[in-house]
């Protein structure tokens, strides 16, 4: 018997290109899951997508579900049988309910009790009956944005125009919002019209005849090939950005790549502007010479064949000409504006309602920059550069060009700064302060860029927290999480070892000085520290530090990430070492008891009663300066060794000293001693969080 | 083909689709959408099909007649069909053919564009239509108007007349476009462009405009209480245009800006609600025809 071939196609008004990849993936996944839940076998499943349709074909699908035999469990034997051994009502009812009689009953033991069972034969349903349910796959696809149309209540990506559902030559009947399935599809909007699919196997070929390339992959290959052809013919290098190629693939049903040209005089405009204009606004591919450098050409992809393609090129040239003329005008006008004039305008541009204008932000960032520069002990010349960069770093936001092409912020800033004779280091900091823009993005290459980037991000983060705009769940409109990660990545990469926590406190003070009203004054620093710790934990996890060690490490002050990684490496080794067991037990014991100290205060060494506590105190006092010094100098291994010198004293202390003694003053004093040492241990890591793995 | 011929063709085309041919509305506005013939009539269950040319004022785009592409006032050809017909894209493409744009000689695309007008609490989904890479039409299925859910959904088609003409007439400068035999856009509009730009950016009386905004807003609120939807809406349009004049002059700071937009939006929302209530009170008179058909 020949196996069957199934086709489903949903025809729509043009769907947004950016959603198509995801829609195709959902279509494949949901259809496969559906077929497997139906126990329908097939040899191959294919998905297709164009702006006006998505489709799936299923090859060699079984004609029906396999039959199955199932055991149905009924009541326990003692309920199923009356005292005289005859079948009880319960047993009769059960067998009837299963479509059987008591003659079909048998007993089986389940967990020590006998139950009645019947064998049920379930005949597989025919595929024809099951396929009409594909409707729910169509309706189940999730789109980021839905719409309603006409009188319909359905919310869908775009209006549904036609439905094709066929098994071999037969239509599978169902309907959605009044559209009935049939074997009628539509070809290319202009090069074809209504087409009849006589056999579902012919779907792809039928569409091809009607100037529709159903497979997105094939369309993309066609575009790539056509572009390569142009490159060969003309001796060009066409700049094909992947995202754009994908979008263009999803904007056409039948691609034809061709080219147009623009006036060479526009090549004086910065290439970033030209490229943005071509790529983002017009979906053209920019053209470079083989030696690099833009040429006054562009490649466009038409939705159709090459008929009258020169005419299409001419139209596209006209549009680009108008855009580039605008860009040229903006570029010329912007250069006439002094940087200071632009900076003044920032006083009128709102950053955030409660956090004031960009001008206010600039004032704060200048101060934060100074704080960071001091901590890094920069040369006076570098400090001057940093301050200059901080005072003008947002000036390009009010230029015409950035107004028109927002994505060029920073890039234009650097260019205009250089044109106005700013120090190249300052200009570079302007473009670099936006880095990193997203996960795995480049970090600023220059220290100056790194400083401005961190200052700008800290101002935004602390500012938002201070006015109660704290990210929660999926709510993070100012992308504070990403910005905090950026700060930590820079701090790590540049090995800045100053306390971020102290800096956060000072940023808060700067906000207060400026008269910003803090709605979250009390908790803000604490909130910020835990926010940054959560990002730190994320980075440690990315670096392969295990969860328990991460927790142990972030419990201390918001620290230097490289140092944390180093500490993690040491602990990872120590926690399996037999020799460390004695030490770790001592530390953990101190930490656990210290937690019982509800009101820590100073140690009074006149209250010591025995020599063990005096000895522990003396030892701690002896090693303390050295220990903290080593931590400060990021000498992890040495610091832990120093700390370990306490081991014997701690063990002896616990052997002979009753901490929780009746005498209040003495108990508190002992707790205070342990608290002080615990603070020291925690400065390395909270060792109670570590999962120790030595052999027992 | 001159602009006058274009307009006649579009009017005939949409008139043949049973659209009511309206004339431009006589209060200043930034877009055809703001005419009560669109904004209010798109609301509620009554069917509504209409087409009209709307002069649209964008004070901030004024360039003293010096820029070849930007105008203080341009023209839109606006079509509203409620409920949206199933073949609306085909109807639209037919209108392009009648304007002499043969799709086989060009590249016509429907590119995603979601329209939003916060001032009017309005939002829709649809496309901008590209002709060889140039946006010539905004095509929108209204989803929300004046903060109210659009049900049934109206479709709005807005042709940019000058854009389309610059393509059809193959001209680079908007002022060189031919409006009718021997008369150019420049002949008609150069002087008003220059004068309106001068007025907007230099001569307008800022204090008076601020005062007018408040007066119009107050009057809109007052007559809304008497249930006079259309007069109240006229004052909202006046508020909106006054705001645009102030905004173009750069006398509204960004913070204040949000506040002014919110004030206009609140008025628009209340009027939208009031309009539907009033129509309901009148028994949705335009549903009559529908009932007879049933």
């Amino acid at each position: 018997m020949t196996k069957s071939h199934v086709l489903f196609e949903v025809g729509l008004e043009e769907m947004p290109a950016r959603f198509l990849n995801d829609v195709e993936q959902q279509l494949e996944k949901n259809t496969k899951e559906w077929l497997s839940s139906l126990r329908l076998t097939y040899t191959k499943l294919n998905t297709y997508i164009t702006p006006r349709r998505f489709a799936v074909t299923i090859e060699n699908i079984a004609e029906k579900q396999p039959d199955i035999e199932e055991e149905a469990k009924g009541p326990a034997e003692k309920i199923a049988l009356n005292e005289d051994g005859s079948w009880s009502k319960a047993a009769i009812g059960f067998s009837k309910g299963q479509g059987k009689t008591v003659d079909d009953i048998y007993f089986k033991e389940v967990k020590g009790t006998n139950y009645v069972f019947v064998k049920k034969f379930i005949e597989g349903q025919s595929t024809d009956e099951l396929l009409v349910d594909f409707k729910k796959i169509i309706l189940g696809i999730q789109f980021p944005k839905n719409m309603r149309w006409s009188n319909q209540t359905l919310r869908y990506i775009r209006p549904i125009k036609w439905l094709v559902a066929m098994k071999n030559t037969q239509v599978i009947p169902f309907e959605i919002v009044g559209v009935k399935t049939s074997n009628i599809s539509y070809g290319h909007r202009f090069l074809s019209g209504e087409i009849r699919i006589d056999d579902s196997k012919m779907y792809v070929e039928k569409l091809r005849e009607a100037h529709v390339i159903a497979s997105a992959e094939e369309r993309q290959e066609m575009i790539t090939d056509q572009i390569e052809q142009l490159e060969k013919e003309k001796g060009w290098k066409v700049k094909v950005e992947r995202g754009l190629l994908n979008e263009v693939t999803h904007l056409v049903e039948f691609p034809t790549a061709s080219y147009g040209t623009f006036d060479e005089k526009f090549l004086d405009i910065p290439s970033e502007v030209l490229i943005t204009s071509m790529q983002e606004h017009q979906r053209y591919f920019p053209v470079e010479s083989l030696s690099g450098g833009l040429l006054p050409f562009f490649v466009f992809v038409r939705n159709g064949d090459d008929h009258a393609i020169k005419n299409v090129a001419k139209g596209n040239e006209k549009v680009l000409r108008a855009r580039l003329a605008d860009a040229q005008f903006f570029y010329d006008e912007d250069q006439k504006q002094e940087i200071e004039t632009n900076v003044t305008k920032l006083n009128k541009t709102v950053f955030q309602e409660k956090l004031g204008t960009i001008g206010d932000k600039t004032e704060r960032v200048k101060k934060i920059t100074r704080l960071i520069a001091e901590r890094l002990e920069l040369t006076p010349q570098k400090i001057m550069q940093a301050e200059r960069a901080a005072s003008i770093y947002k000036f390009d936001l009010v230029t015409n060009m950035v107004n028109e092409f927002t994505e060029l912020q920073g890039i234009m800033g650097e260019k205009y700064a250089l044109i106005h004779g700013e120090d190249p280091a300052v200009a570079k900091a302007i473009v670099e302060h936006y880095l990193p823009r997203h996960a795995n993005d480049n970090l600023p290459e220059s220290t100056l860029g790194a400083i401005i980037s961190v200052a700008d991000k800290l101002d935004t983060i602390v500012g938002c927290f201070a006015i109660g705009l704290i990210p929660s769940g999926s709510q993070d409109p100012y992308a504070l999480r990403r910005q905090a990660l950026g700060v930590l990545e820079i701090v790590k990469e540049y090995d800045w070892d100053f306390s971020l926590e102290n800096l956060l406190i000072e940023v808060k003070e700067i906000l207060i000085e400026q008269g910003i009203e803090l709605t979250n004054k009390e908790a803000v620093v604490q909130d910020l520290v835990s926010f940054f710790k959560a990002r730190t934990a994320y980075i440690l996890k990315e670096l392969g530090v295990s969860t328990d060690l991460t927790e142990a490490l972030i419990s201390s002050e918001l620290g230097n990430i490289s140092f944390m990684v180093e500490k993690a490496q040491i602990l990872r080794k120590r926690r399996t070492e037999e020799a460390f067991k004695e030490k770790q037990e001592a530390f953990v014991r101190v930490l656990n008891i210290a937690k019982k100290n509800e009101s820590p205060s100073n140690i009074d060494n006149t209250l010591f009663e025995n020599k063990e506590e005096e000895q522990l105190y003396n030892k701690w006092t002896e090693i303390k300066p050295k220990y903290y010094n080593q931590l400060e100098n990021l000498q992890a291994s040495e610091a832990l060794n120093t700390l370990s010198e306490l081991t014997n004293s701690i063990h002896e202390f616990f052997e002979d000293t009753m901490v929780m003694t009746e005498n209040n003053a003495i108990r508190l004093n002992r707790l205070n001693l342990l608290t002080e040492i615990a603070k020291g241990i925690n400065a390395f890591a909270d060792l109670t969080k570590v999962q120790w793995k030595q052999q027992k | 083909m001159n602009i006058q011929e274009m307009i006649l063709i579009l009017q005939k085309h949409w008139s043949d689709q049973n659209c009511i041919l309206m004339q431009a509305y006589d209060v200043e506005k930034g877009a055809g959408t703001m005419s009560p013939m669109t904004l209010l009539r798109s609301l509620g269950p009554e069917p509504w099909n209409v087409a009209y040319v709307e002069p649209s004022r964008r004070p901030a785009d004024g360039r003293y007649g010096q820029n070849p592409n930007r105008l203080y006032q341009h023209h839109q050809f606006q079509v509203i069909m409620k409920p949206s017909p199933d073949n609306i894209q085909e109807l639209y493409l037919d209108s392009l053919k009648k304007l002499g744009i043969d799709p086989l000689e060009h590249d016509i695309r429907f590119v995603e564009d979601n329209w939003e007008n916060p001032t009017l609490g309005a939002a829709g989904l649809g496309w901008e239509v590209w002709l060889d890479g140039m946006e010539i039409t905004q095509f929108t299925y209204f989803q929300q108007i004046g903060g109210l859910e659009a049900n049934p959904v109206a479709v709005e088609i807005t042709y940019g007349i000058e854009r389309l003409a610059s393509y059809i007439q193959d001209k680079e400068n908007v002022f060189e476009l031919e409006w009718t035999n021997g008369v150019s856009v420049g002949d008609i509009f150069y002087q008003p462009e220059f004068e309106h730009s001068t007025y907007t950016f230099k001569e307008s009386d800022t204090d008076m405009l601020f005062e007018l905004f408040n007066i119009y807003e107050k009057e809109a609120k007052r007559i809304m209480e008497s249930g006079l939807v259309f007069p109240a809406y006229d004052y909202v349009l006046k508020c909106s245009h006054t705001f645009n004049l102030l905004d173009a002059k750069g006398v509204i700071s960004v913070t204040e800006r949000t506040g002014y937009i919110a004030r206009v939006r609140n008025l628009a929302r209340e009027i939208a609600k009031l309009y539907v209530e009033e129509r309901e009170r009148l028994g949705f008179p335009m549903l009559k025809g529908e009932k007879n058909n049933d």
Side-chain angles (χ1 to χ4, degrees):
Chain A
M1 192 179 73
T2 57
K3 293 269 184 84
S4 290
H5 197 89
V6 172
L7 160 69
F8 295 105
E9 183 193 46
V10 179
L12 302 132
E13 295 182 358
E14 281 78 353
M15 293 180 277
R18 63 197 168 113
F19 299 155
L20 297 201
N21 278 343
D22 180 56
V23 170
E24 190 174 17
Q25 276 166 21
Q26 285 187 55
L27 182 65
E28 180 180 352
K29 180 167 171 281
N30 297 359
T31 311
K32 282 185 171 165
E33 283 172 6
W34 174 66
L35 291 169
S36 109
S37 77
L38 291 176
R39 293 176 284 112
L40 283 176
T41 58
Y42 56 92
T43 55
K44 195 160 179 251
L45 186 143
N46 313 291
T47 53
Y48 303 95
I49 196 155
T50 80
R52 288 176 77 208
R53 72 200 74 224
F54 57 83
V56 54
T57 61
I58 307 157
E59 295 177 15
N60 300 316
I61 194 165
E63 287 305 319
K64 64 191 271 289
Q65 292 175 312
D67 303 333
I68 44 172
E69 201 165 55
E70 234 178 43
E71 278 192 321
K73 183 179 155 215
E77 182 175 3
K78 61 179 182 197
I79 294 166
L81 292 174
N82 293 321
E83 277 178 21
D84 61 0
S86 63
W87 294 112
S88 70
K89 274 187 183 164
I92 297 166
F94 161 71
S95 59
K96 251 193 186 164
Q98 299 294 332
K100 300 276 164 177
T101 70
V102 286
D103 297 341
D104 299 314
I105 286 180
Y106 59 93
F107 291 102
K108 211 170 98 178
E109 197 187 292
V110 180
K111 288 181 188 162
T113 311
N114 256 349
Y115 288 88
V116 302
F117 279 87
V118 291
K119 278 223 163 78
K120 258 175 65 180
F121 174 78
I122 301 170
E123 194 181 344
Q125 271 182 284
S126 83
T127 300
D128 289 355
E129 283 169 49
L130 296 166
L131 287 179
V132 296
D133 274 349
F134 189 75
K135 181 176 168 174
K136 71 174 188 211
I137 301 294
I138 297 174
L139 295 175
I141 292 180
Q142 302 288 316
F143 308 104
K145 256 186 182 327
N146 290 301
M147 61 170 281
R148 289 176 301 107
W149 63 96
S150 197
N151 285 307
Q152 307 297 346
T153 49
L154 177 68
R155 301 178 69 85
Y156 212 61
I157 183 168
R158 283 292 182 271
I160 296 176
K161 304 301 288 185
W162 72 85
L163 293 170
V164 176
M166 295 174 73
K167 195 179 126 215
N168 302 326
T169 57
Q170 297 299 310
V171 171
I172 303 162
F174 59 88
E175 75 171 75
I176 295 174
V177 293
V179 180
K180 289 194 172 76
T181 54
S182 74
N183 58 356
I184 301 297
S185 178
Y186 292 82
H188 187 274
R189 202 183 255 295
F190 305 117
L191 296 170
S192 172
E194 193 179 293
I195 51 172
R196 204 176 70 220
I197 316 271
D198 293 316
D199 186 332
S200 60
K201 282 194 189 72
M202 301 304 294
Y203 176 66
V204 174
E205 285 66 36
K206 271 279 182 188
L207 283 189
R208 191 186 305 280
E209 282 168 27
H211 286 92
V212 172
I213 306 300
S215 154
E217 204 180 318
E218 188 183 337
R219 288 199 306 280
Q220 191 158 114
E221 272 169 29
M222 284 171 73
I223 296 171
T224 316
D225 289 349
Q226 291 165 358
I227 288 177
E228 273 172 22
Q229 190 61 35
L230 277 172
E231 284 181 323
K232 238 185 263 164
E233 263 170 43
K234 306 278 176 188
W236 290 341
K237 173 92 200 72
V238 179
K239 222 171 124 70
V240 180
E241 200 252 327
R242 278 221 69 82
L244 182 63
L245 176 63
N246 190 44
E247 187 184 359
V248 168
T249 303
H250 289 324
L251 277 172
V252 298
E253 296 205 292
F254 190 88
T256 299
S258 187
Y259 69 96
T261 176
F262 57 86
D263 197 321
E264 256 180 69
K265 72 172 185 201
F266 291 127
L267 290 174
D268 294 340
I269 306 171
S271 61
E272 289 91 340
V273 176
L274 297 175
I275 290 171
T276 306
S277 224
M278 287 188 261
Q279 286 183 342
E280 308 289 326
H281 295 212
Q282 294 301 132
R283 275 80 153 181
Y284 301 152
F285 299 101
V287 174
E288 288 176 343
S289 69
L290 292 179
S291 54
L294 282 182
L295 293 173
F297 296 97
F298 61 92
V299 170
F300 64 91
V301 179
R302 179 200 203 177
N303 180 25
D305 58 13
D306 59 3
H307 173 74
I309 194 91
K310 287 273 167 275
N311 194 37
V312 176
K314 201 177 125 216
N316 280 292
E317 285 170 358
K318 179 180 158 74
V319 186
L320 187 62
R321 188 156 57 237
R323 282 206 182 275
L324 296 186
D326 263 358
Q328 177 82 64
F329 174 78
F330 294 150
Y331 190 52
D332 295 343
E333 287 301 301
D334 285 345
Q335 291 180 52
K336 292 181 199 158
Q337 289 287 337
E338 290 302 319
I339 290 178
E340 303 310 327
T341 318
N342 285 319
V343 170
T344 313
K345 281 190 195 162
L346 294 174
N347 292 327
K348 282 188 175 174
T349 312
V350 167
F351 165 57
Q352 203 283 338
E353 215 184 316
K354 290 181 183 154
L355 296 173
T357 62
I358 308 258
D360 295 328
K361 185 181 175 56
T362 303
E363 284 309 309
R364 299 194 297 267
V365 167
K366 263 158 79 176
K367 290 183 187 164
I368 303 170
T369 299
R370 205 165 302 143
L371 291 176
I372 299 175
E374 281 165 10
R375 282 165 163 81
L376 297 178
E377 294 168 5
L378 298 185
T379 61
Q381 190 215 354
K382 283 248 171 199
I383 292 182
M384 260 174 58
Q385 288 172 336
E387 292 193 335
R388 177 61 186 162
S391 39
I392 65 168
Y393 82 115
K394 291 284 190 191
F395 83 92
D396 64 341
L397 291 188
V398 291
T399 60
N400 292 302
M401 194 71 91
V402 174
N403 240 323
E404 186 73 9
F405 305 95
T406 319
E407 53 273 66
L408 293 179
Q409 58 184 15
I411 295 171
M412 294 319 295
E414 181 184 26
K415 296 204 184 299
Y416 292 144
L418 288 173
I419 288 169
H420 282 96
E422 291 290 335
D423 187 324
V426 171
K428 191 165 177 142
I430 294 173
V431 61
E432 285 196 335
H433 95 264
Y434 286 101
L435 301 177
R437 280 163 302 221
H438 48 79
N440 304 321
D441 193 15
N442 295 332
L443 298 182
E445 278 176 19
S446 69
T447 309
L448 218 52
I451 295 172
I452 308 294
S453 171
V454 168
D456 175 67
K457 290 175 175 63
L458 285 182
D459 175 69
T460 305
I461 299 166
V462 178
C464 285
F465 269 68
I467 57 165
L469 288 176
I470 299 173
S472 70
S474 58
Q475 293 294 311
D476 186 8
Y478 291 86
L480 300 185
R481 291 193 185 103
R482 180 175 56 68
Q483 298 204 46
L485 268 180
V487 168
L488 290 170
E489 279 167 12
I490 291 173
V491 168
K492 175 177 166 290
E493 187 63 29
Y494 279 83
D495 248 326
W496 290 349
D497 56 5
F498 53 77
S499 157
L500 196 53
E501 189 166 339
N502 289 342
L503 189 57
L504 289 170
I505 295 169
E506 289 180 63
V507 175
K508 185 191 90 169
E509 294 306 321
I510 290 173
L511 284 157
I512 295 172
E513 264 171 47
Q514 215 185 45
I516 307 273
E517 211 169 303
L518 273 60
T519 53
N520 182 21
K521 200 167 182 171
E522 299 310 316
V524 66
V525 174
Q526 214 181 329
D527 286 351
L528 282 163
V529 168
S530 38
F531 182 68
F532 273 95
K533 278 186 175 176
R535 299 314 112 200
T536 306
Y538 175 82
I539 293 180
L540 289 175
K541 197 183 143 215
E542 292 285 289
L543 291 170
V545 176
S546 63
T547 316
D548 63 319
L549 291 183
T550 299
E551 272 182 43
L553 290 165
I554 62 169
S555 70
S556 65
E557 194 197 6
L558 191 50
N560 176 308
I561 292 182
S562 307
F563 189 43
M564 283 191 197
V565 172
E566 200 184 328
K567 286 198 275 190
Q569 277 160 352
I570 293 168
L571 286 175
R572 189 154 44 198
K573 231 166 97 196
R574 295 280 181 273
R575 70 168 163 193
T576 55
E577 279 174 14
E578 208 55 40
F580 194 70
K581 197 170 177 186
E582 190 193 16
K583 293 165 189 164
Q584 124 222 341
E585 279 169 358
F587 298 144
V588 168
R589 206 161 170 194
V590 172
L591 291 171
N592 281 334
I593 293 201
K595 280 180 194 156
K596 295 184 179 149
N597 191 358
E598 280 160 8
S599 48
S601 55
N602 290 337
I603 303 164
D604 180 351
N605 53 7
T606 63
L607 284 175
F608 290 145
E609 275 196 330
N610 61 28
K611 74 170 190 332
E612 285 79 13
E613 57 184 323
E614 191 146 10
Q615 184 195 315
L616 179 59
Y617 174 75
N618 288 339
K619 190 77 195 165
W620 168 243
T621 317
E622 177 199 326
I623 66 157
K624 189 174 153 183
K626 183 167 83 175
Y627 172 64
Y628 278 116
N629 198 19
Q630 285 164 333
L631 280 184
E632 201 151 294
N633 292 323
L634 310 181
Q635 298 167 293
S637 179
E638 290 82 350
L640 190 59
N641 286 342
T642 307
L643 198 61
S644 299
E645 289 175 29
L646 287 175
T647 312
N648 284 338
S649 308
I650 294 171
H651 281 301
E652 281 164 22
F653 172 85
F654 282 118
E655 226 156 86
D656 298 301
T657 319
M658 171 78 165
V659 179
M660 303 314 264
T661 172
E662 299 264 307
N663 183 321
N664 251 339
I666 291 177
R667 185 178 71 241
L668 272 180
N669 196 46
R670 286 178 180 162
L671 279 173
N672 286 339
L673 170 60
L674 293 174
T675 302
E676 161 107 21
I677 299 171
K679 225 171 102 189
I681 301 169
N682 273 328
F684 189 88
D686 180 352
L687 298 179
T688 61
K689 300 258 168 59
V690 179
Q691 285 172 14
W692 301 100
K693 292 179 173 170
Q694 293 98 340
Q695 302 292 321
K696 284 274 146 64
Chain B
M1 185 184 297
N2 61 44
I3 289 182
Q4 194 156 304
E5 286 162 342
M6 282 171 57
I7 292 172
L8 288 170
I9 286 170
L10 289 174
Q11 284 184 334
K12 174 80 173 76
H13 175 79
W14 292 104
S15 168
D16 289 345
Q17 307 306 325
N18 294 321
C19 284
I20 306 162
L21 283 188
M22 289 301 314
Q23 303 305 313
Y25 197 68
D26 63 349
V27 180
E28 311 94 319
K29 69 201 76 58
T33 311
M34 296 173 84
S35 160
M37 296 302 156
T38 288
L39 195 93
L40 294 180
R41 298 283 180 178
S42 293
L43 284 162
E46 295 167 282
W48 181 251
N49 301 305
V50 65
Y52 54 87
V53 177
E54 193 65 61
S56 304
R57 297 182 189 228
R58 305 264 166 93
D61 284 348
R63 293 290 185 275
Y64 299 89
Q66 299 305 308
N67 186 298
N69 298 308
R70 280 183 207 259
L71 294 170
Y72 167 90
Q73 187 211 52
H74 69 288
H75 294 83
Q76 299 180 335
F77 191 92
Q78 170 91 353
V79 180
I80 290 288
M81 295 190 90
K82 177 179 73 167
S84 62
D86 288 341
N87 61 343
I88 185 66
Q89 283 184 306
E90 286 71 31
L91 293 179
Y92 166 73
L93 291 169
D94 279 347
S95 76
L96 292 188
K97 282 181 206 155
K98 287 181 185 165
L99 290 173
I101 298 170
D102 176 358
L104 295 176
E105 307 278 320
H106 295 279
D107 185 17
I108 298 174
R109 308 239 196 115
F110 290 84
V111 180
E112 180 198 15
D113 190 40
N114 302 323
W115 169 83
E116 213 174 310
N117 185 332
T119 324
L120 301 173
L125 261 63
W127 311 275
E128 43 184 49
V129 182
W130 284 18
L131 173 66
D132 300 336
M134 178 165 66
E135 182 197 342
I136 52 165
T137 303
Q138 193 76 35
F139 202 123
T140 309
Y141 288 95
F142 284 152
Q143 304 291 303
Q144 202 193 46
I145 300 158
L148 297 176
E149 194 84 345
N151 186 20
V153 170
V155 63
E156 179 195 59
I157 296 175
T158 306
Y159 302 77
I161 295 275
E162 285 86 355
R163 278 272 184 95
L164 205 48
S166 79
Y167 204 98
I168 292 171
Q169 297 181 23
D170 196 15
K171 295 261 168 64
E172 296 283 320
N173 188 331
V174 64
F175 292 99
E176 287 169 15
L177 293 172
E178 188 183 60
W179 189 277
T180 186
N181 283 340
V183 181
S184 72
V185 166
D187 292 336
I188 311 170
F189 290 105
Y190 176 75
Q191 187 189 347
E193 278 296 320
F194 179 80
E195 291 182 359
H196 274 302
S197 302
T198 311
Y199 175 77
T200 301
F201 300 120
K202 293 179 181 153
E203 295 297 326
S204 67
D205 180 339
T206 302
D207 291 341
M208 179 202 71
L209 290 173
F210 273 120
E211 207 179 319
L212 280 180
F213 184 93
N214 291 331
I215 291 172
Y216 292 148
E217 184 190 36
K218 207 169 139 202
E219 184 69 349
K221 282 183 178 162
R222 189 180 71 82
I223 46 184
M224 231 186 290
E225 308 224 323
S226 327
L228 300 176
V229 181
F230 284 88
Y233 186 69
D234 285 352
Y235 282 104
V236 176
L237 289 180
K238 286 176 186 293
C239 275
S240 168
H241 177 64
T242 310
F243 164 76
N244 287 343
L245 283 172
L246 287 164
D247 195 28
K249 207 176 180 189
V251 290
I252 296 183
S253 77
V254 184
T255 336
E256 291 172 318
R257 205 169 176 273
T258 329
Y260 276 99
I261 290 176
R263 280 161 77 181
V264 180
R265 181 175 56 226
N266 291 340
L267 291 173
R269 273 172 195 255
E270 280 177 52
I271 287 178
K273 226 171 84 201
L274 196 60
Y275 169 79
V276 178
E277 281 167 17
E278 283 299 307
R279 296 302 292 176
E280 192 171 9
R281 203 176 56 76
L282 296 169
F284 293 124
M286 295 192 76
L287 275 176
K288 271 188 312 209
E290 295 255 302
K291 275 176 197 148
N292 291 344
N293 289 342
D294 290 345

